[in-house]
Structure formats: C-alpha cells, structure tokens
Amino acid sequence: MKLYCLSGHPTLPCNVLKFKSTTIMLDCGLDMTSTLNFLPLPLVQSPRLSNLPGWSLKDGNAFLDKELKECSGHVFVDSVPEFCLPETELIDLSTVDVILISNYHCMMALPYITEHTGFTGTVYATEPTVQIGRLLMEELVNFIERVPKAQSASLWKNKDIQRLLPSPLKDAVEVSTWRRCYTMQEVNSALSKIQLVGYSQKIELFGAVQVTPLSSGYALGSSNWIIQSHYEKVSYVSGSSLLTTHPQPMDQASLKNSDVLILTGLTQIPTANPDGMVGEFCSNLALTVRNGGNVLVPCYPSGVIYDLLECLYQYIDSAGLSNIPFYFISPVANSSLEFSQIFAEWLCHNKQTKVYLPEPPFPHAELIQTNKLKHYPSLHGDFSSDFRQPCVVFTGHPSLRFGDVVHFMELWGKSSLNTVIFTEPDFSYLEALAPYQPLAMKCIYCPIDTRLNFIQVSKLLKEVQPLHVVCPEQYTQPPPAQSHRMDLMIDCQPPPMSYRRAEVLALPFKRRYEKIEIMPELADALVPMEIKPGISLATVSAVLHTKDNKHVLQPPPRPAQPSGGKKRKRASEDIPDCKVLKPLLSGSIPVEQFVQTLEKHGFSDIKVEDTAKGHIVLLQEAETLIQIEEDSTHIICDNDEMLRVRLRDLVLKFLQKF
Amino acid sequence: MPEIRVTPLGAGQDVGRSCILVSIAGKNVMLDCGMHMGFNDDRRFPDFSYITRSGRLTDFLDCVIISHFHLDHCGALPYFSEMVGYDGPIYMTHPTQAICPILLEDYRKIAVDKKGEANFFTSQMIKDCMKKVVAVHLHQTVQVDDELEIKAYYAGHVLGAAMFQIKVGSESVVYTGDYNMTPDRHLGAAWIDRCRPNLLITESTYATTIRDSKRCRERDFLKKVHEAVERGGKVLIPVFALGRAQELCILLETFWERMNLKAPIYFSTGLTEKANHYYKLFITWTNQKIRKTFVQRNMFEFKHIKAFDRAFADNPGPMVVFATPGMLHAGQSLQIFRKWAGNEKNMVIMPGYCVQGTVGHKILSGQRKLEMEGRQVLEVKMQVEYMSFSAHADAKGIMQLVGQVEPEGVLLVHGEAKKMEFLKQKIEQELRVSCYMPANGETVTLPTSPSIPVGISLGLLKREMAQGLLPDAKKPRLLHGTLIMKDSNFRLVSSEQALKELGLAEHQLRFTCRVHLHDPRKEQETALRVYSHLKSVLKDHCVQHLPDGSVTVESILIQAAAHSEDPGTKVLLVSWTYQDEELGSYLTSLLKKGLPQAPS
C-alpha cells in the first residue's frame, strides 16, 4: 500500500492512496497562496495600482518592468493571478479510480484534475459539500472573469530569472506549473462527475474496498473517510472540529481500530482560541462603527460567516448597533444564505431542532427579514444606491487579490477610522495587505480556525488508537515562528510518518487475510473436529470462484460417472492430474495398536523389530515391511495395489488429515 | 435451518394500521406502527398482544422502523411505546421525525377533544415517544447493533418517505413503505439499488390499476374544478395536510395564474403554512426541478391560496377549499362536507384512497344517503368525483420495483386481498418470483441459506489464483485448505500453516513398491529405458534422469536394482508420498505392463 503526496499544503491536501487494486485520491486542494505574489485585480480602474513603478534589477536592467511592479518595497507580478496545482507528474492521474472529497475547501482543484488528466473515475462528496463547493468555485471564476486582464506574465517564471528576484518570488515553488483559473464550463463538467453520498453510507469500490464518509464537524457536510477492506482499515482525517458550531458533531468512534490514520487539515493558528477571536471580532467591529468608521471583513461566502452573523445577531442589539447596515456582497451571497437553511440533516442538534418547529436553522433569515443584513451580487447595481456609511461589509476574496474586497480596500484604506478585520486563516494578513501599503486603516487579525489543535489531536489519537499515523511534515515539528513550542506538534507513539510534496510513502501494512464466502452446501459437508479445547479444524476441498473481487468457495463437483460406452481411451487421458492435492497428515502411530488392527484385518505372521528411531513391522507372508517412526511411516511392498491400499487405509486410521 | 419470518399485525390483506413483524437471523424488527382510519375501537391499532403475550416489547424487538409520517404508518406509535411500553430505538428520516409529532398531535386532538375519547395517548406521551427516535439519512448504513444494519432509500410518496433495507450478514429484507415510481410536481420517484434481498415486502394499494398519464389526470382535475367554479359551485377537496395537498396547490396556483381566475382558494388548517415551511426547509427531499430553482423561486409560497376560516364556508359564490383530513372521517373536511353536500352545484373531489368505513369510502362506492351521528341522515346531492392522485406505485410501478430489486421472494401488504391475488399471480408468472400475501396475524416463513464468511490467508488465495483465473469446467481444480475455527473467528489457511499454527508436526506417509521387470541388461540401461518410456508417455510431467542413475517423475523416485536371485530380472523400486498417491499408483501400474522393446 502506497501513499502519493501531491500537495505540500497541510490544510489543502491532495494525496493518492493505492490500496488493494484501487487508486483513490484523497481530496483535491488548491493552494491559492500563490496569488499573494500577484497585484490585486481592481473592479474599478485604480490609478494607484496602475501607476506603481516597474521593478528593475540591481544593475538597473529594467527588462522585467512590464511584468513586475513594486509597492512599498514588495514586488508583485502584474498578471492574471495563478494557482499552485497539486503535483500532476508523480502518478498517472488517469489511473485514479475515485476521488473522495472531505469538505468544500478541499475540492477547489477538482476541475484541473478531472478535466485535464484523462480522469475517468467517480468523485464522491456529500450534498452540502458539492453545493457550497460549487458556490465557492462560481465566486472564484466570477471574481477573475469579470476583470479581464490582457497581460499574462511568464518571463519571470524562467528559472534563471526567478533566481534574481527578491523574496518571496525567488522562493516560490513550482512556478512553472502554476495555472490560471478554470472556467465555469470546466467547473460544471467537473461537478457532473460527483456522486452524492451521505454520512455512514458504505460505498463499494469494485468489490475490493469499501469507503465511508463520516461527519467531521468542521463545515456543512464535511467528512472524514474510512477506507477499508475486511481486514484492513485506513482512516483519512481532514479538516475536523470538536467545537460546537453549526455542523453536525464529529464522529470519532468510527475511526477506532485503524491500521493507518492519515491526519491532515489541523488548525492553521494553533495558538488562537476561536471563541476569544469571535469576541475580539465583535468588540473591534463595535468600536469602529461607534467611532463612525466602516468595517471590512474579507471572507469566503460560506462557513465561518454563518457563525459570525449568528454572533452579531445576538450582539448588535446589546451593543447598540441595530441601525448599522450589514452588507454581504458576493455573486453567490443569496445562494449561500438560502442553501445554509436547507441542510437540516447536516446541522448540529440545536439547529435541527429548530427546523423541526419549523423555523429556519440560522438566524440570518431574521436579519434579512428585518433588513439588518442585505446581500448583493456585486457592488455594482442596487448596492450603490442602498449604500450607507458607517457600515459593515462582508465580502471576498480573503486573499485581497480579487473580488469586491479590492475596491473597499482602495476606498477605505486611506482613513484611520475604518478597520479591516481578518477572520479567515488561509492567508497571511501581512502579505495580503502588502500591495495596499501604505495604509491608514486599522488592521485587526482575528483568525477563526475551528479545526483540531494539537491538544485535541493527542486526545483524539489516544481515543481512537491507530497503529500508525501519517501526516504532513509540518505537523512533526513546531511552527518555524514558534520553534520553542514543542507542544505545537503531533506527539504519538510510534512517531508519525511524515510526508512532503512529491513524496511517495510505503505504508507499514501487511495484508494477511481476505474475505471469502463458503456456500451453505459446502459448509454443511464440512466435518469439524476439535483439536484443542475451543479450537476446531475442518479440511476444505472446494472450487474457488472469483467474480468482481468477491471470492466464493463452492462444493467440489461430484466425480463424473465413468462412461461405459467409450472403451477406447487414449493412455494420456488416464494420467492423473498431479494438481489434485491430498491433505497433509499429522499424528503418530502406536505400534501395538497398529499390529492389533493388522491382525484384526486378517494379516498373520507379523513380526515387530525395534530400531533406533522406532519400529519395523514385518508382514512376512506378504513380503511387506512397514517402518514406523515418530513423524513418518514407510510402506514397502510388492507391486500389489490391493494390498497397498488396504495397508494405507489402516495407517490413515491413526492419523489426522489437514 | 435459518429462516426469515414475517407476520403482519396490520396491513395484511388490508390498508391501514401498517405494522409488520420481521424476524431475520435472530433479530426482530417492527416495520411501521400505524392506526386504522376505518375503526374507532380497539381495532384501530395493531394487536401488540401478539408480542406481549410472551414478554416485553423492548426485550423482543431490536428496533422499530417508520417509513413515513402518514398516520396509517405511525399513528399507533405513542400508544405502542408509551402505553404498551417500548424503550428501544425507533428509526425514521429527518422530515418524518419533524412532521410525525405534529400529525400525531392533530390526531390526538380530534380523538380526545372532538370525539371525547378517554384512555388515549397524551401530548406528553407523543413527546416522550419522539425522544426514542433516531433520525437516519438516506443511504446511511445504520448499525442497530453489531449484526443488524438498516439503510434508507428515497421512496417519493410524501416528504421524507423512505424504503428500508434490513440486513444481517448476507440475509436481507427490503420494506418499501408507500412509494411512487413516477416523479410528481413536488417529489421525485423512488429509487433503490439492485440489492437482491431474500424478501421484498411491498405495498400494493394499486395492485390492479395501471394509471394513465399524470398529465391527463391533472387536466381532468383542473377541468372539473374549473367547471364547478364557473357555474358558481363550491369545490371541496379533502386532503391530508402534507403531501398531495402541496402537489394540488402547485397545480391550482399555476392554473389560476394562467387563466386569471378570481374565485378564492382556501386551505383549511393552520397546518398549511407550517406544512409549506417544512417543504421549504427540507427542499433537498423534493424533486430535481424544485431543488434547482428554489433560490430564485420557492414553489411553496402561494399567491392565490389563502388561509380558511370556518365562517367562509357559508359565504356566497364559488370557492375551492382544501380541507383535512383526506378521507372525510372527521374534522374540518367532514364539517364542510355536511354543509355543502345538499347542493348539486357543489362538488367534492377525493384525490386519494379512502379506507373502508370512512365517509370518503362510502360516497365513493356510490352511497348517497349517509347515516351520521345521532341517526341523522345526510343526503348527498353534490357531485362526487374521484381522482387518483395518491402517490402510490401502480401495478406497473410495483412490477418495475420488483425487477429493479431482484428479490428471491415478494410479500404483499397494504392492499386489498382481491387485488393482491391478481398481483401475486402476475408476479409469480411474469417475474418467476414466489409471492406471499399473509393476512394479519398469519406468519410466512422463508428458509434461507446464508453463506458463511471466513478469512482466507492471502498466501493460500494467491497461490490458487496464480494457477489461472478461469476454472476449467471439465477438470475442476480444487482448493485445499484447513478451516480453523476458534470462537467465532473462522480462518481458512493452507494445511502447512494450520499444522504450524497448532504446533503439530507433519507425519509423512511413504510407499515404496517393487516392480519386477524382465530385463537382462544392466541396471543403468534399464533405468535409461524406463526414463525414455516415461518421458514419451508423460508429456505434461517433469521426468528426469538423475546422475546417480535414478529416474524421477515430479517427486516420485524410481530406482532400478538387480534381482538377488534372478539376473534376468530387474527390480524397480518406485517410491512416493501419500500426497502423490494418484501418480505413484499410476506409475506402478504403467511399469508393470513392461517396457516397450528398445528400438533396434
């Protein structure tokens, strides 16, 4: 069993597991941090951005000044932003049988894989994952396509040139494989390959392997996966949470007894407490608005935003913010808010109970009804006429490189009254802000990452006790910025096996058994015999049938009746098939009883001689000699088949067959 | 001999109080727990004493499964769990769990408040009963215990209706509940995979009907409503709050919009709004089209349909009223019916099946003089129409499902005996599947022969598979191994491994036979002749002539020795082990026939 590691990003994994005869891709994460190296895409022509100076080499050579621009000491690529894809060369991706998706954030590379690698398999994901994943992709495509950019820079990617660039461009990995965003057509085609599954549904793959999604507690429809055969079990844990937010709680019990547990998608901010961060978020928001400033919250259109709106719902009246408008701007804002209300079965117990009343599970329905929260597909159109300040705007993209957020950064960045609050943990906020420097607006970093932290991981591992843990290398050492925090790494016995991008791991796994079914007719014919107390044996001779990777043992056919009519048989037809196996024998032969038995069966004139290792029984009349030792019996006789068979049967009486 | 036993406590050759007991591989499961609309006495609930005679319900039953929220499938649940006493798990889908308590409460109110029945279950009992419910997702495999698992499939019919597969080891039963094989205006069609159960228990409400296309029925319905309204009549459509009501509302709403009609449409109970809300929140359970468009337009928000007040019934002029319950056996629909029945301009449209004993059933069977409470006789002059909108599979649909599931046997419930008989014959003749239709309290026993799963050592399996994948029909190859049975752990291993694991030594049994040959030549030459003879006869075997002068065929050793007394005779010593017995004995008989003359 092998694991091919195609992504180096621990929270946006993409691994391929070869297990028995199947090839299973686990997640399809797209590393979007690459876009931080690009200039933002403004919705409205931005004089500041278009007037940034070109970058030139130390020796004054300015041949890259069309592609690279400088802003407050940082260099950015002036081009359509590009994403870092999972490794496509490590394994032939057309051989992938199935792709298992754990949550909507981990499927963003799907169109690249399903549309451009010859992939012909099936993708499995839960319904909320697909619906919300579609919204995320739609938003991304929309953000990028609505701001067409003529320029596509490629010169800087040249290896010899890249060496000369300043950090972080110099250190960017695999730049030659970076790709532009997919199209909506590719998204639709990719999503059409998905088959919907429910939690705890057992899905058979080619009869060889069974896969099952389990609730992971992190997002609507998020799942961990069990990949198992009858005797082996691999758990794939990706993006799980033990906090009670809106999704159904994590199913931990089903992860027990795994041979291997692959652990990805832990919290990216292990030192931040999500509850504390939400509190800080609310108080900073209130403070800014009270002072007459605007609040900008760069966010994804689904996920944590539901929780933030719920907190605000409880908070705004007590904080005296009832008259402050909240705007949610995204091409998929309406869909996201609507979809969140229809996945009752995927929600935590409290929210489910509300649906039973029947009431919408999320209070943002009420915020919308009372006009406190308004949503718009973009800042063009209705929004511009409704827009009142001070206000709170939720909009994407959290990278600050595209989407409506770019406009608000340009609009509000110059005033220190305004605040941008970062809640999404996927992008370094300092890097995100770099192309907007210098900024007067306040920047608050309240990353909310509800995924497992290291304390929860060690508790989980103690609970479910996998034989082996496999994880990205980042989890086997403390984070670089906090190298003294030995508690910020996975601690388990045996130590975890770690992987990095483009590595192939052989998983420590020895398959010993396979399931086979014994047909009832055969089972009835078996004769068990108790060998030791509690242990019985039965010898089995049966015909093996294998179909669709399922094995069945059927009773042996009855020996064909010798056909009397055909007498002329060729000699070769009589030659027995040496493949017909006889059982092994075990036991020993007590000489005295054996001799008695011989006498009883009409042999006379029997003589027994002792030898060093046993005895020799002589049947003088029959000129036959039987050597009997502890572990062997040797019958030496004339060529008299009748006699030999008689003696054989008498010997076998004392032995057990295996 | 293992067997599956099925006993209907209700719905055996009948529609109403569905309740079927299934025993499979030592597990007891109760399918549905409904009430009978046609009875007001003890017969309205299934006869649980069938179980309680010999002990407590909780001890006997491993679980209860409810297929959907209709009262004839869940109406007896609080009585069963709280009054008779059952504390085990009750499984149903999320929408059923949400809607079921509301209908139960409604039912309780009518029974206790309106009819004044004593000794009925209370609101608290409904709540306590619902606490025992475990909600299941579609296609989720629910492990009831280590051996018993259940899985829900989409059934159409009403919001949240499900079919259930009940499985223990390799034995399984599928229970359809009520289902619909064609999608309608708000729900999708039932779907289940080819799971080949030992038994399929299917409803058979429309066992003899093959319905015309839905579109025709819809046009017919709209035409009748339209005509009645045009002539100034009032139209009563008795429905159950959830299900057909929504479908017909969508139908009338779009028709009113298109034809620009002004006559008011009312929906009678306070449940309506609530019901529509359920549809909105459980939109993932509706059909493809509604799910796709719900963000833009919610099909369950009606413009033309308004809430009904009982005073409206006396308003002059035409109107259309949807009123509950659907079989005119009680409540508001019956009240309105009594008011309007005397006027021939009015019309009542029965859009669904009516159980025997209900007013609905009586007027549908042509009765026009009804004896009401207090010996009052009600003369029915209004037009009575029947329109099959119930979302049950028709005969074609049932046959289709049986074909899809491929069961070993079919058992019919939830239908009338005569109709069942017809379908039973059809299934047995056309699909060649045995079919049963037990009456209530009657037990059907099906012997099963489950295969036994064991673990085979990979070494043994691979050794066998390496010899070729296709077994030759003429020369079947046998797999030999030893089954080690320890507790409930069964493993099939090679004989060598079994000996090793048990710490036993192999006992070798060897035979050596003397074959006398007349051959005056030297021993070595005799051996050589034996070699070339065997080589020519045994083409498929490995025949070797060893440097020490002996000959081997596979692992059988042949040595030539001089006869001690007769120099003209040589003795061939043929030696083999018990495992090579066939070949060994064949060789001796072959050599006994002598060697061919050496070519000169």
Side-chain angles (χ1 to χ4, degrees):
Chain A
M1 190 166 74
K2 282 193 167 146
L3 189 70
Y4 297 74
C5 310
L6 310 187
S7 160
H9 196 300
T11 30
L12 297 167
C14 183
N15 294 315
V16 173
L17 178 72
K18 285 210 172 196
F19 180 28
K20 289 181 82 176
S21 49
T22 57
T23 305
I24 302 170
M25 180 178 277
L26 306 170
D27 275 333
C28 217
L30 182 63
D31 187 351
M32 292 200 249
T33 53
S34 57
T35 59
L36 292 174
N37 296 298
F38 293 77
L39 271 190
L41 289 179
L43 261 181
V44 186
Q45 173 82 12
S46 156
R48 186 187 70 83
L49 286 172
S50 41
N51 291 331
L52 287 176
W55 180 79
S56 49
L57 289 171
K58 277 193 193 116
D59 58 8
N61 193 333
F63 73 104
L64 282 167
D65 69 347
K66 286 270 184 310
E67 292 200 349
L68 302 179
K69 303 283 177 188
E70 198 167 347
C71 176
S72 303
H74 286 85
V75 178
F76 298 95
V77 183
D78 187 9
S79 164
V80 183
E82 294 180 338
F83 307 117
C84 179
L85 268 54
E87 206 64 44
T88 50
E89 304 295 319
L90 192 63
I91 181 170
D92 179 1
L93 292 176
S94 69
T95 63
V96 170
D97 298 309
V98 296
I99 302 178
L100 309 181
I101 303 292
S102 60
N103 63 67
Y104 46 75
H105 285 300
C106 290
M107 62 185 281
M108 297 298 279
L110 199 59
Y112 294 116
I113 305 293
T114 58
E115 304 310 298
H116 299 287
T117 62
F119 172 81
T120 55
T122 311
V123 185
Y124 291 99
T126 63
E127 180 162 11
T129 300
V130 178
Q131 299 293 7
I132 298 174
R134 176 195 295 276
L135 297 181
L136 291 181
M137 291 181 177
E138 234 178 273
E139 187 193 59
L140 187 67
V141 172
N142 186 296
F143 280 165
I144 291 188
E145 284 186 352
R146 74 181 175 187
V147 198
K149 190 148 184 136
Q151 176 159 322
S152 183
S154 56
L155 209 53
W156 70 276
K157 288 185 180 178
N158 186 310
K159 271 211 174 90
D160 295 327
I161 295 172
Q162 199 199 350
R163 270 190 301 125
L164 306 172
L165 304 179
S167 286
L169 277 179
K170 184 170 73 178
D171 309 318
V173 291
E174 311 273 346
V175 290
S176 59
T177 63
W178 288 12
R179 290 285 173 274
R180 302 169 66 159
C181 189
Y182 31 72
T183 64
M184 215 43 223
Q185 196 187 349
E186 289 168 317
V187 170
N188 286 331
S189 169
L191 295 181
S192 72
K193 299 180 169 88
I194 298 183
Q195 196 166 321
L196 298 183
V197 293
Y199 287 150
S200 304
Q201 180 176 346
K202 294 177 177 172
I203 305 138
E204 290 280 335
L205 304 183
F206 317 108
V209 175
Q210 197 182 58
V211 297
T212 308
L214 304 173
S215 176
S216 79
Y218 165 60
L220 271 177
S222 70
S223 2
N224 292 322
W225 289 85
I226 302 286
I227 301 119
Q228 63 187 342
S229 64
H230 285 278
Y231 291 91
E232 300 86 18
K233 176 169 173 180
V234 179
S235 294
Y236 174 59
V237 174
S238 164
S240 299
S241 178
L242 293 171
L243 298 181
T244 315
T245 57
H246 57 273
Q248 211 180 92
M250 175 178 180
D251 178 354
Q252 295 184 64
S254 306
L255 298 172
K256 281 184 183 167
N257 304 321
S258 305
D259 296 288
V260 172
L261 186 141
I262 304 170
L263 185 58
T264 66
L266 304 184
T267 176
Q268 302 189 71
I269 321 288
T271 49
N273 166 15
D275 283 334
M277 287 294 145
V278 171
E280 226 169 282
F281 168 81
C282 288
S283 58
N284 277 298
L285 182 142
L287 192 68
T288 305
V289 178
R290 273 196 215 112
N291 291 332
N294 300 297
V295 177
L296 179 62
V297 188
C299 63
Y300 292 115
S302 177
V304 176
I305 187 172
Y306 303 144
D307 299 315
L308 291 179
L309 290 174
E310 185 155 3
C311 286
L312 289 172
Y313 168 80
Q314 292 157 355
Y315 182 75
I316 44 178
D317 288 330
S318 64
L321 302 176
S322 332
N323 296 320
I324 302 298
F326 287 79
Y327 300 118
F328 176 18
I329 303 171
S330 159
V332 298
N334 185 28
S335 300
S336 165
L337 293 171
E338 288 288 339
F339 269 114
S340 67
Q341 307 286 23
I342 65 158
F343 292 125
E345 293 154 274
W346 309 86
L347 293 172
C348 64
H349 182 74
N350 274 345
K351 297 224 173 302
Q352 257 175 28
T353 323
K354 285 189 88 177
V355 174
Y356 289 178
L357 289 177
E359 278 172 21
F362 286 96
H364 53 239
E366 201 184 315
L367 286 175
I368 295 169
Q369 228 167 28
T370 54
N371 261 330
K372 285 177 180 157
L373 172 68
K374 293 185 170 185
H375 54 82
Y376 304 89
S378 92
L379 49 81
H380 297 299
D382 289 347
F383 175 70
S384 38
S385 48
D386 294 355
F387 183 42
R388 275 192 298 123
Q389 301 193 67
C391 65
V392 179
V393 169
F394 294 88
T395 190
H397 185 270
S399 66
L400 305 191
R401 291 303 179 270
F402 36 81
D404 301 90
V405 75
V406 176
H407 179 75
F408 287 99
M409 282 304 296
E410 294 287 325
L411 185 71
W412 291 343
K414 296 168 208 91
S415 165
S416 61
L417 281 180
N418 301 327
T419 305
V420 54
I421 309 181
F422 291 89
T423 55
E424 301 287 356
D426 286 357
F427 301 92
S428 144
Y429 80 108
L430 291 174
E431 286 182 49
L433 288 171
Y436 299 95
Q437 298 294 359
L439 267 181
M441 123 194 260
K442 277 200 292 289
C443 305
I444 307 288
Y445 184 52
C446 300
I448 298 167
D449 195 332
T450 57
R451 285 172 281 205
L452 297 176
N453 62 34
F454 290 99
I455 300 168
Q456 292 165 330
V457 164
S458 74
K459 258 176 96 179
L460 174 74
L461 292 180
K462 276 198 191 103
E463 182 82 21
V464 306
Q465 302 237 327
L467 290 183
H468 301 277
V469 174
V470 176
C471 67
E473 60 173 352
Q474 288 92 332
Y475 296 158
T476 58
Q477 61 219 27
Q482 291 147 304
S483 53
H484 62 289
R485 293 285 302 266
M486 298 305 285
D487 56 327
L488 299 184
M489 56 186 271
I490 293 178
D491 177 29
C492 66
Q493 277 310 322
M497 297 178 70
S498 71
Y499 68 80
R500 62 173 73 182
R501 189 179 168 110
E503 213 168 44
V504 183
L505 291 190
L507 299 182
F509 219 64
K510 185 98 179 88
R511 292 183 50 224
R512 290 198 159 87
Y513 286 94
E514 178 72 275
K515 187 187 156 183
I516 195 164
E517 295 211 331
I518 298 185
M519 295 292 284
E521 302 81 31
L522 176 62
D524 285 345
L526 295 181
V527 190
M529 106 192 124
E530 189 161 19
I531 292 288
K532 290 179 180 173
I535 303 179
S536 300
L537 293 186
T539 52
V540 178
S541 291
V543 179
L544 172 71
H545 279 268
T546 298
K547 194 181 165 194
D548 299 337
N549 287 317
K550 300 252 184 253
H551 310 291
V552 175
L553 282 182
Q554 293 182 341
R558 286 176 193 191
Q561 296 296 318
S563 48
K566 291 180 188 167
K567 277 181 184 167
R568 277 195 301 151
K569 270 189 185 172
R570 283 194 292 137
S572 65
E573 281 181 23
D574 294 337
I575 300 170
D577 187 348
C578 67
K579 282 172 190 157
V580 178
L581 281 167
K582 286 260 180 178
L584 295 184
L585 304 171
S586 181
S588 55
I589 297 178
V591 174
E592 277 176 34
Q593 285 176 41
F594 179 61
V595 170
Q596 284 167 16
T597 312
L598 286 175
E599 283 169 344
K600 222 160 67 188
H601 283 81
F603 291 95
S604 53
D605 205 4
I606 302 171
K607 225 172 112 185
V608 180
E609 287 174 13
D610 289 353
T611 63
K613 287 183 184 165
H615 311 273
I616 291 179
V617 179
L618 280 168
L619 307 175
Q620 290 175 321
E621 197 180 321
E623 284 189 59
T624 295
L625 188 128
I626 305 171
Q627 291 175 347
I628 298 177
E629 290 177 8
E630 181 65 27
D631 288 332
S632 66
T633 302
H634 192 169
I635 301 173
I636 302 160
C637 60
D638 265 339
N639 186 12
D640 178 349
E641 190 65 7
M642 289 273 284
L643 171 70
R644 188 185 69 79
V645 168
R646 268 176 76 202
L647 290 173
R648 177 197 71 189
D649 291 342
L650 293 179
V651 169
L652 287 179
K653 276 189 178 176
F654 293 92
L655 296 174
Q656 289 148 354
K657 290 181 185 176
F658 283 85
Chain B
M1 190 73 176
E3 59 189 25
I4 293 174
R5 283 195 314 278
V6 183
T7 315
L9 298 186
Q13 303 181 3
D14 186 17
V15 177
R17 58 167 178 180
S18 282
C19 184
I20 299 128
L21 283 181
V22 172
S23 299
I24 172 169
K27 305 283 171 185
N28 296 311
V29 179
M30 189 163 102
L31 305 169
D32 280 336
C33 188
M35 54 82 109
H36 202 296
M37 318 244 183
F39 299 116
N40 277 322
D41 50 22
D42 282 350
R43 289 172 296 172
R44 71 178 156 210
F45 291 149
D47 180 13
F48 299 115
S49 68
Y50 184 88
I51 306 171
T52 49
R53 273 198 299 259
S54 47
R56 293 178 57 229
L57 289 173
T58 313
D59 298 335
F60 178 76
L61 290 171
D62 291 281
C63 73
V64 173
I65 294 171
I66 302 294
S67 64
H68 64 285
F69 60 63
H70 276 155
L71 288 172
D72 58 331
H73 293 260
C74 70
L77 204 52
Y79 168 75
F80 161 80
S81 75
E82 305 311 307
M83 297 174 78
V84 185
Y86 168 75
D87 298 317
I90 302 168
Y91 294 96
M92 54 179 81
T93 66
H94 284 267
T96 308
Q97 192 190 358
I99 296 164
C100 176
I102 292 166
L103 297 185
L104 286 171
E105 181 59 30
D106 210 44
Y107 172 43
R108 190 196 67 80
K109 268 191 200 146
I110 291 175
V112 177
D113 300 352
K114 298 233 169 95
K115 295 187 191 158
E117 284 188 47
N119 201 20
F120 207 76
F121 53 78
T122 63
S123 296
Q124 189 56 43
M125 285 177 182
I126 298 176
K127 285 191 187 122
D128 292 340
C129 164
M130 292 311 290
K131 283 183 193 147
K132 297 169 185 171
V133 170
V134 182
V136 301
H137 289 253
L138 281 183
H139 301 168
Q140 172 189 6
T141 304
V142 179
Q143 215 70 45
V144 177
D145 58 34
D146 284 347
E147 288 150 346
L148 174 61
E149 57 182 50
I150 60 172
K151 183 176 177 182
Y153 292 92
Y154 191 78
H157 187 61
V158 289
L159 194 71
M163 307 194 253
F164 280 88
Q165 182 190 38
I166 299 106
K167 196 173 169 195
V168 183
S170 59
E171 293 168 80
S172 66
V173 170
V174 168
Y175 173 57
T176 64
D178 291 355
Y179 61 102
N180 192 7
M181 291 300 281
T182 48
D184 63 27
R185 278 179 187 265
H186 72 305
L187 295 175
W191 182 87
I192 186 166
D193 48 30
R194 194 172 300 267
C195 51
R196 300 190 175 95
N198 299 89
L199 184 67
L200 172 74
I201 304 175
T202 173
E203 66 136 322
S204 49
T205 322
Y206 290 112
T208 53
T209 324
I210 290 182
R211 285 180 295 178
D212 48 1
S213 91
K214 190 109 192 182
R215 218 156 266 284
C216 293
R217 262 177 294 148
E218 286 177 357
R219 212 179 313 130
D220 216 23
F221 169 78
L222 291 171
K223 200 174 130 212
K224 279 180 180 148
V225 172
H226 193 191
E227 279 168 7
V229 171
E230 287 285 277
R231 67 171 181 252
K234 296 178 167 57
V235 181
L236 171 65
I237 308 172
V239 288
F240 288 98
L242 287 124
R244 249 11 59 202
Q246 277 68 29
E247 188 187 359
L248 296 177
C249 282
I250 293 174
L251 197 60
L252 277 192
E253 167 92 5
T254 38
F255 186 69
W256 248 238
E257 185 127 350
R258 203 173 69 224
M259 305 296 286
N260 200 17
L261 297 179
K262 291 286 176 279
I265 309 175
Y266 298 112
F267 204 117
S268 79
T269 62
L271 270 177
T272 340
E273 208 186 341
K274 231 176 174 181
N276 290 338
H277 233 92
Y278 280 117
Y279 277 86
K280 213 181 143 180
L281 293 171
F282 285 111
I283 209 121
T284 54
W285 286 78
T286 59
N287 71 26
Q288 202 77 30
K289 193 180 154 204
I290 292 184
R291 285 160 59 173
K292 267 208 164 135
T293 55
F294 92 101
V295 176
Q296 288 80 41
R297 177 165 181 243
N298 191 345
M299 291 293 269
F300 299 104
E301 267 161 23
F302 302 115
K303 263 200 301 193
H304 297 272
I305 303 170
K306 299 186 185 67
F308 181 75
D309 187 291
R310 64 173 58 193
F312 294 173
D314 299 321
N315 283 1
M319 66 174 86
V320 180
V321 176
F322 289 96
T324 58
M327 299 187 191
L328 286 178
H329 55 283
Q332 199 152 29
S333 62
L334 187 59
Q335 277 173 22
I336 300 173
F337 173 76
R338 287 167 106 166
K339 267 197 179 133
W340 294 356
N343 189 336
E344 57 273 333
K345 269 208 289 190
N346 296 342
M347 180 192 283
V348 58
I349 300 182
M350 305 299 298
Y353 182 86
C354 287
V355 162
Q356 265 190 355
T358 60
V359 172
H361 187 267
K362 284 175 193 158
I363 57 169
L364 281 185
S365 50
Q367 216 173 315
R368 287 294 173 265
K369 290 215 168 106
L370 303 173
E371 198 172 316
M372 307 306 279
E373 290 139 48
R375 292 197 190 150
Q376 218 181 321
V377 174
L378 180 70
E379 196 172 341
V380 181
K381 289 187 185 153
M382 77 198 295
Q383 204 177 327
V384 177
E385 294 289 343
Y386 171 69
M387 221 144 252
S388 158
F389 272 97
S390 357
H392 291 279
D394 60 5
K396 205 170 111 196
I398 296 170
M399 297 295 280
Q400 192 188 336
L401 185 89
V402 176
Q404 198 170 321
V405 173
E406 282 191 8
E408 282 170 25
V410 175
L411 189 143
L412 304 178
V413 294
H414 200 283
E416 290 159 31
K418 264 190 196 160
K419 296 183 181 175
M420 279 184 178
E421 199 71 63
F422 170 82
L423 185 65
K424 178 176 185 290
Q425 277 187 12
K426 202 168 149 79
I427 288 173
E428 287 181 335
Q429 282 166 9
E430 288 180 24
L431 301 172
R432 312 219 165 269
V433 173
S434 46
C435 189
Y436 314 85
M437 41 174 284
N440 287 336
E442 195 183 311
T443 301
V444 168
T445 305
L446 269 107
T448 59
S449 51
S451 56
I452 296 159
V454 304
I456 183 169
S457 88
L458 219 53
L460 179 61
L461 183 67
K462 284 195 170 155
R463 186 169 80 189
E464 188 62 25
M465 306 247 288
Q467 295 188 14
L469 284 170
L470 290 172
D472 187 341
K474 279 185 192 156
K475 276 191 196 168
R477 202 180 57 239
L478 292 185
L479 176 144
H480 289 269
T482 303
L483 188 63
I484 305 179
M485 290 165 276
K486 193 175 166 187
D487 305 324
S488 58
N489 179 2
F490 288 29
R491 288 177 303 130
L492 183 60
V493 299
S494 64
S495 308
E496 294 89 340
Q497 192 182 336
L499 282 176
K500 212 167 125 192
E501 272 189 34
L502 294 163
L504 299 175
E506 189 194 337
H507 188 104
Q508 213 187 56
L509 175 57
R510 182 167 271 284
F511 305 96
T512 299
C513 279
R514 296 182 290 262
V515 181
H516 297 264
L517 267 189
H518 181 74
D519 187 359
R521 276 167 270 211
K522 282 190 179 153
E523 294 96 64
Q524 290 89 335
E525 285 172 46
T526 313
L528 199 61
R529 285 182 69 203
V530 168
Y531 169 69
S532 45
H533 176 52
L534 293 181
K535 184 94 184 158
S536 69
V537 176
L538 302 166
K539 293 206 170 58
D540 294 340
H541 291 72
C542 173
V543 185
Q544 282 179 306
H545 190 208
L546 299 183
D548 68 355
S550 51
V551 175
T552 61
V553 179
E554 306 289 348
S555 60
I556 293 162
L557 185 72
I558 304 166
Q559 285 171 314
H563 196 277
S564 50
E565 289 151 24
D566 179 5
T569 303
K570 296 288 170 295
V571 182
L572 292 178
L573 293 171
V574 185
S575 179
W576 68 90
T577 63
Y578 172 66
Q579 282 71 30
D580 292 320
E581 192 177 29
E582 265 77 11
L583 188 60
S585 99
Y586 168 76
L587 279 182
T588 51
S589 58
L590 182 72
L591 291 171
K592 202 175 173 182
K593 290 178 193 153
L595 297 174
Q597 285 307 309
S600 48

